[in-house]
Amino acid sequence: MKATCWMGSNKVEVQEVPDPKILNARDAIVEITSTAICGSDLHLYDGYIPSAMKGDILGHEFMGRVVELGSAVTNLEVGDRVVVPFPIACGNCNACQRSMYSVCENSNPNAGLAEKLWGQSPAGIFGYSHLLGGYAGGQAEYARVPFADVGPLKIEDDGLSDEQVLFLSDIFPTGYMGAEMCDIEPGDVIAVWGAGPVGQFAAASAFLLGADRVIVIDRFAYRLEMARNHYGAETINYDETDVRAALHEMTAGRGPDACIDAVGMEAHHGAMPIHAYDRAKQAVRSQTERPHALRQAITSCRNGGTVSVVGVYGGLADKFPIGAVVNRSLTIKAGQCHVQRYMRPLLERIQNGEIDPTAIITHRMSLSDVSDGYEIFKHKRDGCEKVVLTP
Amino acid sequence: MASTLGWFSTGLGLAQVAAPAAVNRLAGLDDSGARRALMRAMGIRELASGVGILSRRRPTGWLWARVMGDAIDVTLLGAALRAKGNRRSRVAMATAAVVGVTLLDVVASTRTSGGDGRVAEDEPMEGKAITTINVPPEEAYRLWRDLESLAVFMDHLESVRTTGERQSHWVAHGPAGTTVEWDAEIVEDVPGELIAWRSLEGSDVDNAGRVRFVPAAKGRGTEVSVEVRYAAPGGAVGATVAKLLGEEPSQQVKDDLRRLKQVLETGEVVRSDGNPGGTRALGQVRQRAAQPVG
Ligand SMILES: NC(=O)c1ccc[n+]([C@@H]2O[C@H](COP(=O)([O-])OP(=O)(O)OC[C@H]3O[C@@H](n4cnc5c(N)ncnc54)[C@H](O)[C@@H]3O)[C@@H](O)[C@H]2O)c1
Ligand SMILES: [Zn+2]
Ligand SMILES: [Zn+2]
């Protein structure tokens, strides 16, 4: 089959690789009909996620039709149309039973490696390095889906297009969880760093969960415009405006009630020396993050507020404003999304017309053009917000 | 390399404490009273980490202390570079030197963090591990007591055959396609709580082990703890045992328990394309690319 392979920093290639086979009785093989490129893939593309290997198949946002089932999968049938959640989770361990699917205790065969870096291992993830399991990903024609009896969401309504439901695999639930972690109360003002797909869904979800106002921060005018027009957010362009001063003004000095980091480890910052410092340390890998947005989210948040981190970080961050967290009674919540927990309720919201996930799609491409897709999405060229690929 | 860094720290630290003004000049920093005090403080930190690195058998902690120290220096020098009154070229040189040493520190720290798990060949080798498994103690006990299923999750075993109520015959993988065999007997058996076994006279490798099953609080299943001991007689057999167990017997037992947890909770050993053999120390180090196996 054809699959997108990571071939080193800034290099992906469509290669001919063997078709996937059933390895465990709870596996399914899915023929992929739609797949997407995620901001998380960019961290791999840029070479900041340790333990990627040449030849790894990328991709963790995909859906398709079941073509083969392991003997222990009884809830699906060949031909079923399914959306596959990006964390691989067994459904049986203590974490899964508490709905903490992205920290499943069994799905990472390389848990020992992850423990060395993080103390404990999280779940395995499709196409996301060997630290997270070494699973082949879904930017391909077919994928093997472990624990197919608990993960995939069956789409029974043929009236729903792939594009309407594809993002249930990751970014809609992720943005939603980012907003849910803010414990929003009526009247709350929520600030979101990053107007990428995750930030857009976080902003939309904050409104769904009852926020009074949502303020989205980024430097790309077209992305901020999308947040204003489609999701009704206010915006700050951090290239033009001092973010903390603007937030101070917009919240009458209180600061936002909760701040969502939807940027992650490769945050950009205009001219500040701290950006050069982060870049240098990240380049020699003596820190793995450029946590600028997170620092700003922490220092901007109101006293006693919540900082919700869904942007991805990999290892160690320097100059972390822990003093602000402690002395101002902030709460930090974080996580890879527990996607399985949100798929069904969010599917209902799509069916009820409460949200239109297709609004963020700017580029539809063929799988064979995937390397262009990565370049356009990485450099935010051509008004790119989200790339969807068809094999 | 670690000891070179240790001596570097000690030397630099001494100079910073004894002659802060001279070091300031050398680094191109403006030599005010405050700068001297700062330089002295940095010297004391440098000395502490130097002595720490040199006096430890395994200096990882102190090496990481150096990494942090370097980070502070890089920042201070960076600030000096921007400030007026400092000779830029010197400061830049000092910064470059510190950045270089930072890199060395990171390399040395990651190398030493890797573990020095070599086991002397004539000492008995012990491994132990503990995990929580989301099934009742009786269920975990039952799987273990059916000794034949041990080979499903114990990676170094080829097979276990029950030969009597308490007797069994074990075959384990040795190096280069060889096998190692022994007979064992159960010496303690408390259903739902504990099993202990040991090899019998005439074994290729004398060994013994014990597993305990304790209910975990809050309905989280069972705390399973395992201890194994291999009396390696030295020489060829000792070397075989070392190979058999890998260099860290505890790692091996830990991986076994991880697979036991997978089997009890999910029904099978979990496999990925990069590590199709499932969790085991070697498989994690020697990954294949995450592509379907052809
Ligand atoms: N937690 C999860 O489960 C999960 C799931 C999916 C994605 N993610 C992570 O979410 C993050 C965003 O993903 P995406 O797909 O939206 O990526 P994206 O690259 O499209 O969006 C990131 C946005 O952040 C903006 N940005 C950069 N620096 C900034 C700063 N200092 N302040 C404000 N905005 C800044 C960029 O301009 C860009 O628009 C990534 O880190 C990704 O890995 C996490
Ligand atoms: Zn993603
Ligand atoms: Zn699980």
Side-chain angles (χ1 to χ4, degrees), chain A residues 37-43 60-61 86 128 170-171 174 177 193-199 217-220 223 238 261-269 292-293 296 309-313 335-338 377 380 385-386:
Chain A
I37 307 176
C38 177
S40 301
D41 294 326
L42 293 181
H43 303 320
H60 57 265
E61 301 181 358
F86 79 81
Y128 216 70
D170 178 351
I171 48 174
T174 297
M177 184 169 109
W193 273 256
V198 173
I217 301 143
D218 204 307
R219 75 177 182 287
F220 291 104
R223 292 189 156 204
Y238 69 83
D261 170 357
V263 176
M265 65 197 292
E266 293 181 70
H268 158 271
H269 193 291
H292 188 71
Q296 199 170 57
V309 188
V310 287
V312 161
Y313 294 87
Q336 293 278 5
C337 184
H338 306 294
F377 182 48
K380 319 302 181 211
E385 178 77 24
K386 186 74 179 175

Short mmCIF file of all heavy atoms in Angstrom, two decimals, chain A residues 37-43 60-61 86 128 170-171 174 177 193-199 217-220 223 238 261-269 292-293 296 309-313 335-338 377 380 385-386, ligand 1:
data_model
loop_
_atom_site.label_atom_id
_atom_site.label_comp_id
_atom_site.label_asym_id
_atom_site.label_seq_id
_atom_site.Cartn_x
_atom_site.Cartn_y
_atom_site.Cartn_z
N ILE A 37 -3.66 16.14 8.37
CA ILE A 37 -2.38 16.49 8.98
C ILE A 37 -2.67 17.36 10.19
O ILE A 37 -3.46 18.29 10.12
CB ILE A 37 -1.47 17.26 8.00
CG1 ILE A 37 -1.32 16.50 6.68
CG2 ILE A 37 -0.09 17.49 8.63
CD1 ILE A 37 -0.50 17.27 5.63
N CYS A 38 -2.02 17.04 11.31
CA CYS A 38 -2.29 17.72 12.58
C CYS A 38 -1.09 18.56 12.98
O CYS A 38 0.04 18.28 12.57
CB CYS A 38 -2.56 16.66 13.64
SG CYS A 38 -2.82 17.32 15.30
N GLY A 39 -1.32 19.58 13.82
CA GLY A 39 -0.22 20.36 14.38
C GLY A 39 0.77 19.46 15.11
O GLY A 39 1.97 19.73 15.14
N SER A 40 0.28 18.38 15.69
CA SER A 40 1.18 17.44 16.37
C SER A 40 2.14 16.79 15.37
O SER A 40 3.29 16.52 15.69
CB SER A 40 0.38 16.34 17.08
OG SER A 40 -0.48 16.90 18.03
N ASP A 41 1.66 16.54 14.15
CA ASP A 41 2.54 15.98 13.12
C ASP A 41 3.69 16.94 12.80
O ASP A 41 4.79 16.52 12.46
CB ASP A 41 1.77 15.68 11.83
CG ASP A 41 0.73 14.58 12.02
OD1 ASP A 41 0.99 13.65 12.81
OD2 ASP A 41 -0.34 14.66 11.39
N LEU A 42 3.39 18.25 12.93
CA LEU A 42 4.45 19.23 12.63
C LEU A 42 5.60 19.12 13.63
O LEU A 42 6.75 19.32 13.27
CB LEU A 42 3.87 20.65 12.63
CG LEU A 42 2.87 20.97 11.51
CD1 LEU A 42 2.40 22.42 11.61
CD2 LEU A 42 3.49 20.70 10.13
N HIS A 43 5.29 18.80 14.89
CA HIS A 43 6.39 18.65 15.86
C HIS A 43 7.30 17.50 15.45
O HIS A 43 8.52 17.56 15.63
CB HIS A 43 5.84 18.39 17.27
CG HIS A 43 4.91 19.45 17.79
ND1 HIS A 43 5.11 20.78 17.59
CD2 HIS A 43 3.76 19.35 18.53
CE1 HIS A 43 4.12 21.48 18.16
NE2 HIS A 43 3.30 20.62 18.73
N HIS A 60 -2.46 10.38 12.58
CA HIS A 60 -3.29 9.85 13.67
C HIS A 60 -4.73 10.37 13.61
O HIS A 60 -5.50 10.18 14.52
CB HIS A 60 -2.65 10.17 15.03
CG HIS A 60 -2.44 11.64 15.23
ND1 HIS A 60 -1.25 12.26 14.94
CD2 HIS A 60 -3.27 12.61 15.66
CE1 HIS A 60 -1.37 13.55 15.18
NE2 HIS A 60 -2.59 13.80 15.62
N GLU A 61 -5.07 11.07 12.52
CA GLU A 61 -6.46 11.53 12.36
C GLU A 61 -7.00 10.86 11.11
O GLU A 61 -6.72 11.31 10.00
CB GLU A 61 -6.49 13.06 12.20
CG GLU A 61 -5.87 13.79 13.38
CD GLU A 61 -5.92 15.31 13.25
OE1 GLU A 61 -6.39 15.82 12.22
OE2 GLU A 61 -5.48 15.98 14.20
N PHE A 86 -7.28 8.90 18.15
CA PHE A 86 -5.82 8.79 18.04
C PHE A 86 -5.13 8.07 19.20
O PHE A 86 -4.13 7.42 18.99
CB PHE A 86 -5.17 10.15 17.75
CG PHE A 86 -5.01 11.06 18.94
CD1 PHE A 86 -3.96 10.90 19.83
CD2 PHE A 86 -5.90 12.11 19.18
CE1 PHE A 86 -3.79 11.73 20.92
CE2 PHE A 86 -5.74 12.95 20.27
CZ PHE A 86 -4.69 12.76 21.15
N TYR A 128 3.10 8.12 16.04
CA TYR A 128 3.65 9.20 16.85
C TYR A 128 4.89 8.79 17.62
O TYR A 128 4.96 8.93 18.83
CB TYR A 128 2.56 9.79 17.77
CG TYR A 128 2.76 11.28 17.91
CD1 TYR A 128 2.53 12.12 16.82
CD2 TYR A 128 3.25 11.84 19.07
CE1 TYR A 128 2.78 13.47 16.91
CE2 TYR A 128 3.50 13.20 19.17
CZ TYR A 128 3.26 14.01 18.07
OH TYR A 128 3.51 15.36 18.15
N ASP A 170 -9.63 13.49 16.65
CA ASP A 170 -8.64 14.23 17.42
C ASP A 170 -9.07 15.65 17.76
O ASP A 170 -9.51 15.94 18.86
CB ASP A 170 -7.30 14.24 16.66
CG ASP A 170 -6.21 15.03 17.38
OD1 ASP A 170 -6.51 15.71 18.37
OD2 ASP A 170 -5.04 14.97 16.95
N ILE A 171 -8.96 16.57 16.78
CA ILE A 171 -8.92 17.99 17.14
C ILE A 171 -10.22 18.57 17.70
O ILE A 171 -10.17 19.46 18.53
CB ILE A 171 -8.45 18.85 15.94
CG1 ILE A 171 -9.22 18.45 14.68
CG2 ILE A 171 -6.96 18.69 15.74
CD1 ILE A 171 -8.91 19.32 13.49
N THR A 174 -10.18 17.34 21.22
CA THR A 174 -9.05 18.00 21.91
C THR A 174 -9.41 19.43 22.29
O THR A 174 -9.20 19.86 23.42
CB THR A 174 -7.79 17.96 21.03
OG1 THR A 174 -7.42 16.60 20.82
CG2 THR A 174 -6.63 18.70 21.68
N MET A 177 -11.97 19.27 25.06
CA MET A 177 -11.40 18.94 26.36
C MET A 177 -10.65 20.15 26.92
O MET A 177 -10.70 20.44 28.12
CB MET A 177 -10.47 17.73 26.27
CG MET A 177 -9.92 17.29 27.61
SD MET A 177 -9.08 15.68 27.55
CE MET A 177 -7.39 16.19 27.77
N TRP A 193 -4.68 30.65 23.30
CA TRP A 193 -3.47 30.92 22.53
C TRP A 193 -3.41 29.94 21.37
O TRP A 193 -3.48 28.72 21.57
CB TRP A 193 -2.23 30.75 23.43
CG TRP A 193 -1.88 31.99 24.17
CD1 TRP A 193 -0.86 32.85 23.89
CD2 TRP A 193 -2.54 32.54 25.33
NE1 TRP A 193 -0.85 33.90 24.78
CE2 TRP A 193 -1.86 33.73 25.66
CE3 TRP A 193 -3.64 32.15 26.10
CZ2 TRP A 193 -2.24 34.53 26.75
CZ3 TRP A 193 -4.02 32.93 27.17
CH2 TRP A 193 -3.33 34.11 27.49
N GLY A 194 -3.29 30.46 20.17
CA GLY A 194 -3.22 29.63 18.97
C GLY A 194 -4.55 29.59 18.24
O GLY A 194 -5.58 29.23 18.83
N ALA A 195 -4.56 29.99 16.97
CA ALA A 195 -5.78 29.94 16.16
C ALA A 195 -5.64 28.86 15.10
O ALA A 195 -6.19 28.96 14.01
CB ALA A 195 -6.05 31.30 15.52
N GLY A 196 -4.89 27.81 15.43
CA GLY A 196 -4.84 26.63 14.58
C GLY A 196 -6.13 25.85 14.77
O GLY A 196 -7.04 26.29 15.49
N PRO A 197 -6.25 24.69 14.13
CA PRO A 197 -7.46 23.88 14.26
C PRO A 197 -7.83 23.59 15.72
O PRO A 197 -9.00 23.69 16.09
CB PRO A 197 -7.07 22.60 13.53
CG PRO A 197 -6.06 23.04 12.50
CD PRO A 197 -5.30 24.14 13.14
N VAL A 198 -6.83 23.30 16.55
CA VAL A 198 -7.14 23.01 17.96
C VAL A 198 -7.68 24.25 18.65
O VAL A 198 -8.68 24.19 19.38
CB VAL A 198 -5.90 22.44 18.69
CG1 VAL A 198 -6.16 22.29 20.18
CG2 VAL A 198 -5.49 21.10 18.08
N GLY A 199 -7.03 25.39 18.41
CA GLY A 199 -7.49 26.64 19.01
C GLY A 199 -8.90 27.00 18.56
O GLY A 199 -9.73 27.46 19.35
N ILE A 217 -5.76 34.36 20.40
CA ILE A 217 -4.49 35.07 20.19
C ILE A 217 -3.64 34.32 19.17
O ILE A 217 -3.42 33.11 19.30
CB ILE A 217 -3.72 35.16 21.54
CG1 ILE A 217 -4.58 35.91 22.57
CG2 ILE A 217 -2.36 35.83 21.34
CD1 ILE A 217 -4.47 35.36 23.96
N ASP A 218 -3.16 35.01 18.16
CA ASP A 218 -2.28 34.41 17.15
C ASP A 218 -1.64 35.55 16.39
O ASP A 218 -1.86 36.72 16.73
CB ASP A 218 -3.09 33.49 16.20
CG ASP A 218 -2.22 32.41 15.54
OD1 ASP A 218 -1.19 32.76 14.93
OD2 ASP A 218 -2.58 31.22 15.64
N ARG A 219 -0.82 35.23 15.37
CA ARG A 219 -0.27 36.32 14.58
C ARG A 219 -0.74 36.28 13.13
O ARG A 219 -0.47 37.17 12.36
CB ARG A 219 1.25 36.34 14.63
CG ARG A 219 1.95 35.27 13.80
CD ARG A 219 3.46 35.48 13.90
NE ARG A 219 4.23 34.55 13.10
CZ ARG A 219 4.40 33.27 13.38
NH1 ARG A 219 3.83 32.75 14.46
NH2 ARG A 219 5.13 32.49 12.61
N PHE A 220 -1.45 35.20 12.73
CA PHE A 220 -1.90 35.10 11.35
C PHE A 220 -3.29 35.69 11.21
O PHE A 220 -4.26 35.15 11.77
CB PHE A 220 -1.88 33.64 10.88
CG PHE A 220 -0.48 33.11 10.75
CD1 PHE A 220 0.04 32.25 11.70
CD2 PHE A 220 0.34 33.51 9.69
CE1 PHE A 220 1.35 31.78 11.60
CE2 PHE A 220 1.64 33.04 9.57
CZ PHE A 220 2.15 32.18 10.53
N ARG A 223 -6.18 33.46 10.17
CA ARG A 223 -6.64 32.51 11.19
C ARG A 223 -7.50 33.22 12.24
O ARG A 223 -8.51 32.69 12.72
CB ARG A 223 -5.44 31.83 11.84
CG ARG A 223 -4.70 30.90 10.88
CD ARG A 223 -3.65 30.04 11.55
NE ARG A 223 -3.44 28.85 10.72
CZ ARG A 223 -2.98 27.69 11.16
NH1 ARG A 223 -2.65 27.54 12.43
NH2 ARG A 223 -2.85 26.67 10.36
N TYR A 238 -0.75 39.10 18.22
CA TYR A 238 0.36 39.38 19.13
C TYR A 238 1.55 40.02 18.43
O TYR A 238 2.47 40.50 19.07
CB TYR A 238 0.78 38.14 19.92
CG TYR A 238 1.45 37.03 19.12
CD1 TYR A 238 2.81 37.08 18.84
CD2 TYR A 238 0.73 35.92 18.71
CE1 TYR A 238 3.42 36.06 18.13
CE2 TYR A 238 1.33 34.90 18.01
CZ TYR A 238 2.68 34.98 17.72
OH TYR A 238 3.29 33.97 17.03
N ASP A 261 -3.82 26.85 26.32
CA ASP A 261 -2.64 26.81 25.45
C ASP A 261 -2.92 25.82 24.33
O ASP A 261 -2.93 24.61 24.57
CB ASP A 261 -1.40 26.39 26.27
CG ASP A 261 -0.18 26.10 25.39
OD1 ASP A 261 -0.28 26.15 24.14
OD2 ASP A 261 0.88 25.80 25.97
N ALA A 262 -3.19 26.33 23.14
CA ALA A 262 -3.39 25.47 21.96
C ALA A 262 -2.26 25.72 20.96
O ALA A 262 -2.47 25.71 19.76
CB ALA A 262 -4.75 25.73 21.33
N VAL A 263 -1.07 25.97 21.50
CA VAL A 263 0.10 26.25 20.66
C VAL A 263 1.12 25.12 20.77
O VAL A 263 1.51 24.51 19.79
CB VAL A 263 0.75 27.59 21.05
CG1 VAL A 263 2.03 27.81 20.25
CG2 VAL A 263 -0.22 28.74 20.85
N GLY A 264 1.58 24.87 22.01
CA GLY A 264 2.53 23.78 22.21
C GLY A 264 3.99 24.19 22.11
O GLY A 264 4.32 25.37 22.20
N MET A 265 4.82 23.21 21.89
CA MET A 265 6.26 23.30 22.11
C MET A 265 7.03 24.16 21.10
O MET A 265 8.20 24.39 21.30
CB MET A 265 6.85 21.89 22.10
CG MET A 265 6.73 21.19 20.76
SD MET A 265 6.98 19.40 20.89
CE MET A 265 8.70 19.35 21.29
N GLU A 266 6.37 24.58 20.03
CA GLU A 266 7.10 25.38 19.05
C GLU A 266 6.55 26.78 18.94
O GLU A 266 6.47 27.35 17.85
CB GLU A 266 7.08 24.69 17.68
CG GLU A 266 7.85 23.39 17.66
CD GLU A 266 7.83 22.76 16.29
OE1 GLU A 266 8.46 23.32 15.39
OE2 GLU A 266 7.17 21.72 16.13
N ALA A 267 6.18 27.35 20.08
CA ALA A 267 5.62 28.69 20.06
C ALA A 267 6.64 29.66 19.48
O ALA A 267 7.84 29.48 19.59
CB ALA A 267 5.24 29.12 21.47
N HIS A 268 6.09 30.71 18.88
CA HIS A 268 6.90 31.73 18.25
C HIS A 268 6.79 32.94 19.13
O HIS A 268 5.79 33.16 19.80
CB HIS A 268 6.29 31.94 16.86
CG HIS A 268 6.61 33.25 16.25
ND1 HIS A 268 5.85 34.37 16.45
CD2 HIS A 268 7.62 33.62 15.42
CE1 HIS A 268 6.38 35.38 15.77
NE2 HIS A 268 7.44 34.94 15.14
N HIS A 269 7.84 33.75 19.16
CA HIS A 269 7.67 35.05 19.75
C HIS A 269 8.50 36.08 19.05
O HIS A 269 9.71 35.92 18.91
CB HIS A 269 8.01 35.07 21.23
CG HIS A 269 7.53 36.33 21.88
ND1 HIS A 269 8.10 37.56 21.61
CD2 HIS A 269 6.49 36.57 22.71
CE1 HIS A 269 7.44 38.49 22.27
NE2 HIS A 269 6.47 37.93 22.94
N HIS A 292 6.73 29.57 25.03
CA HIS A 292 6.40 30.97 25.22
C HIS A 292 4.91 31.23 25.46
O HIS A 292 4.53 32.01 26.33
CB HIS A 292 6.88 31.82 24.05
CG HIS A 292 6.70 33.25 24.38
ND1 HIS A 292 7.49 33.88 25.31
CD2 HIS A 292 5.75 34.13 24.01
CE1 HIS A 292 7.05 35.11 25.48
NE2 HIS A 292 6.00 35.29 24.71
N ALA A 293 4.06 30.57 24.68
CA ALA A 293 2.62 30.79 24.84
C ALA A 293 2.18 30.34 26.24
O ALA A 293 1.37 31.01 26.89
CB ALA A 293 1.84 30.04 23.77
N GLN A 296 3.06 32.88 28.79
CA GLN A 296 2.18 34.04 28.72
C GLN A 296 0.78 33.71 29.24
O GLN A 296 0.15 34.53 29.90
CB GLN A 296 2.10 34.52 27.27
CG GLN A 296 1.62 35.93 27.15
CD GLN A 296 1.80 36.44 25.73
OE1 GLN A 296 1.30 35.84 24.80
NE2 GLN A 296 2.52 37.54 25.58
N VAL A 309 -3.82 23.13 29.32
CA VAL A 309 -2.76 22.93 28.33
C VAL A 309 -3.09 21.74 27.43
O VAL A 309 -3.04 20.59 27.87
CB VAL A 309 -1.40 22.68 29.02
CG1 VAL A 309 -0.28 22.66 27.97
CG2 VAL A 309 -1.13 23.73 30.08
N VAL A 310 -3.47 22.02 26.17
CA VAL A 310 -3.64 20.94 25.21
C VAL A 310 -2.58 21.00 24.11
O VAL A 310 -2.42 20.06 23.35
CB VAL A 310 -5.05 20.90 24.58
CG1 VAL A 310 -6.06 20.38 25.59
CG2 VAL A 310 -5.47 22.25 24.04
N GLY A 311 -1.84 22.11 24.02
CA GLY A 311 -0.67 22.14 23.14
C GLY A 311 0.28 21.06 23.63
O GLY A 311 0.35 20.80 24.82
N VAL A 312 1.00 20.44 22.70
CA VAL A 312 1.84 19.30 23.09
C VAL A 312 3.25 19.75 23.49
O VAL A 312 3.86 20.57 22.81
CB VAL A 312 1.91 18.28 21.94
CG1 VAL A 312 3.10 17.34 22.10
CG2 VAL A 312 0.62 17.45 21.90
N TYR A 313 3.73 19.22 24.58
CA TYR A 313 5.11 19.40 25.03
C TYR A 313 5.75 18.03 25.18
O TYR A 313 5.06 17.06 25.52
CB TYR A 313 5.16 20.16 26.36
CG TYR A 313 4.68 21.58 26.19
CD1 TYR A 313 3.32 21.89 26.29
CD2 TYR A 313 5.57 22.58 25.84
CE1 TYR A 313 2.87 23.18 26.06
CE2 TYR A 313 5.12 23.87 25.61
CZ TYR A 313 3.78 24.16 25.72
OH TYR A 313 3.34 25.44 25.48
N GLY A 335 -3.27 17.48 29.16
CA GLY A 335 -3.38 16.09 28.73
C GLY A 335 -3.46 15.94 27.22
O GLY A 335 -3.89 16.85 26.52
N GLN A 336 -3.00 14.78 26.77
CA GLN A 336 -3.38 14.36 25.43
C GLN A 336 -4.87 14.03 25.58
O GLN A 336 -5.30 13.54 26.62
CB GLN A 336 -2.61 13.10 25.01
CG GLN A 336 -1.12 13.33 24.82
CD GLN A 336 -0.78 13.93 23.46
OE1 GLN A 336 -1.66 14.26 22.67
NE2 GLN A 336 0.50 14.08 23.19
N CYS A 337 -5.62 14.29 24.55
CA CYS A 337 -7.07 14.17 24.69
C CYS A 337 -7.52 12.72 24.93
O CYS A 337 -7.02 11.79 24.31
CB CYS A 337 -7.75 14.71 23.44
SG CYS A 337 -9.53 14.71 23.60
N HIS A 338 -8.48 12.56 25.82
CA HIS A 338 -9.09 11.24 26.06
C HIS A 338 -10.22 11.07 25.04
O HIS A 338 -11.41 11.02 25.40
CB HIS A 338 -9.59 11.15 27.49
CG HIS A 338 -8.51 11.47 28.49
ND1 HIS A 338 -7.41 10.66 28.66
CD2 HIS A 338 -8.34 12.52 29.33
CE1 HIS A 338 -6.61 11.20 29.57
NE2 HIS A 338 -7.15 12.33 29.98
N PHE A 377 1.13 23.58 5.32
CA PHE A 377 0.58 23.68 6.68
C PHE A 377 1.64 24.20 7.65
O PHE A 377 1.37 25.06 8.49
CB PHE A 377 0.06 22.30 7.10
CG PHE A 377 -0.59 22.27 8.46
CD1 PHE A 377 -1.55 23.21 8.84
CD2 PHE A 377 -0.27 21.26 9.37
CE1 PHE A 377 -2.15 23.16 10.09
CE2 PHE A 377 -0.87 21.20 10.62
CZ PHE A 377 -1.81 22.15 10.98
N LYS A 380 2.18 27.87 7.02
CA LYS A 380 0.92 28.63 6.98
C LYS A 380 0.84 29.42 5.68
O LYS A 380 0.57 30.63 5.68
CB LYS A 380 0.78 29.55 8.20
CG LYS A 380 1.23 28.97 9.55
CD LYS A 380 0.51 27.70 9.96
CE LYS A 380 0.97 27.18 11.32
NZ LYS A 380 0.92 25.73 11.48
N GLU A 385 -5.30 26.39 6.95
CA GLU A 385 -5.73 26.12 8.32
C GLU A 385 -5.68 24.62 8.58
O GLU A 385 -5.15 24.15 9.57
CB GLU A 385 -7.14 26.66 8.56
CG GLU A 385 -7.71 26.39 9.95
CD GLU A 385 -7.15 27.32 11.04
OE1 GLU A 385 -6.69 28.42 10.71
OE2 GLU A 385 -7.16 26.92 12.22
N LYS A 386 -6.25 23.83 7.66
CA LYS A 386 -6.29 22.39 7.88
C LYS A 386 -6.26 21.66 6.54
O LYS A 386 -6.99 22.02 5.61
CB LYS A 386 -7.59 22.01 8.62
CG LYS A 386 -7.69 20.56 9.03
CD LYS A 386 -6.79 20.24 10.21
CE LYS A 386 -6.89 18.80 10.65
NZ LYS A 386 -5.91 18.49 11.73
N1 LIG C 1 -3.51 17.41 23.57
C1 LIG C 1 -3.89 16.78 22.48
O1 LIG C 1 -4.52 15.75 22.55
C2 LIG C 1 -3.59 17.40 21.15
C3 LIG C 1 -4.26 16.96 20.01
C4 LIG C 1 -4.03 17.60 18.79
C5 LIG C 1 -3.10 18.62 18.74
N2 LIG C 1 -2.43 19.01 19.86
C6 LIG C 1 -1.46 20.10 19.87
O2 LIG C 1 -2.13 21.34 19.76
C7 LIG C 1 -1.22 22.30 19.24
C8 LIG C 1 -1.88 23.05 18.09
O3 LIG C 1 -2.21 22.16 17.04
P1 LIG C 1 -2.81 22.74 15.68
O4 LIG C 1 -3.17 21.58 14.84
O5 LIG C 1 -3.83 23.75 15.98
O6 LIG C 1 -1.45 23.40 15.07
P2 LIG C 1 -1.15 24.72 14.22
O7 LIG C 1 0.31 24.69 13.95
O8 LIG C 1 -2.06 24.82 13.05
O9 LIG C 1 -1.51 25.90 15.21
C9 LIG C 1 -0.65 26.50 16.13
C10 LIG C 1 -0.93 27.99 16.13
O10 LIG C 1 -0.26 28.60 17.22
C11 LIG C 1 0.15 29.88 16.81
N3 LIG C 1 1.19 30.40 17.71
C12 LIG C 1 2.54 30.17 17.68
N4 LIG C 1 3.14 30.84 18.66
C13 LIG C 1 2.19 31.52 19.33
C14 LIG C 1 2.20 32.39 20.44
N5 LIG C 1 3.34 32.70 21.09
N6 LIG C 1 1.01 32.91 20.88
C15 LIG C 1 -0.15 32.60 20.24
N7 LIG C 1 -0.22 31.78 19.17
C16 LIG C 1 0.94 31.25 18.72
C17 LIG C 1 0.62 29.66 15.40
O11 LIG C 1 0.70 30.87 14.67
C18 LIG C 1 -0.44 28.70 14.87
O12 LIG C 1 -1.50 29.38 14.25
C19 LIG C 1 0.01 21.51 18.82
O13 LIG C 1 0.97 21.59 19.85
C20 LIG C 1 -0.50 20.11 18.73
O14 LIG C 1 0.52 19.16 18.94
C21 LIG C 1 -2.68 18.41 21.05
#
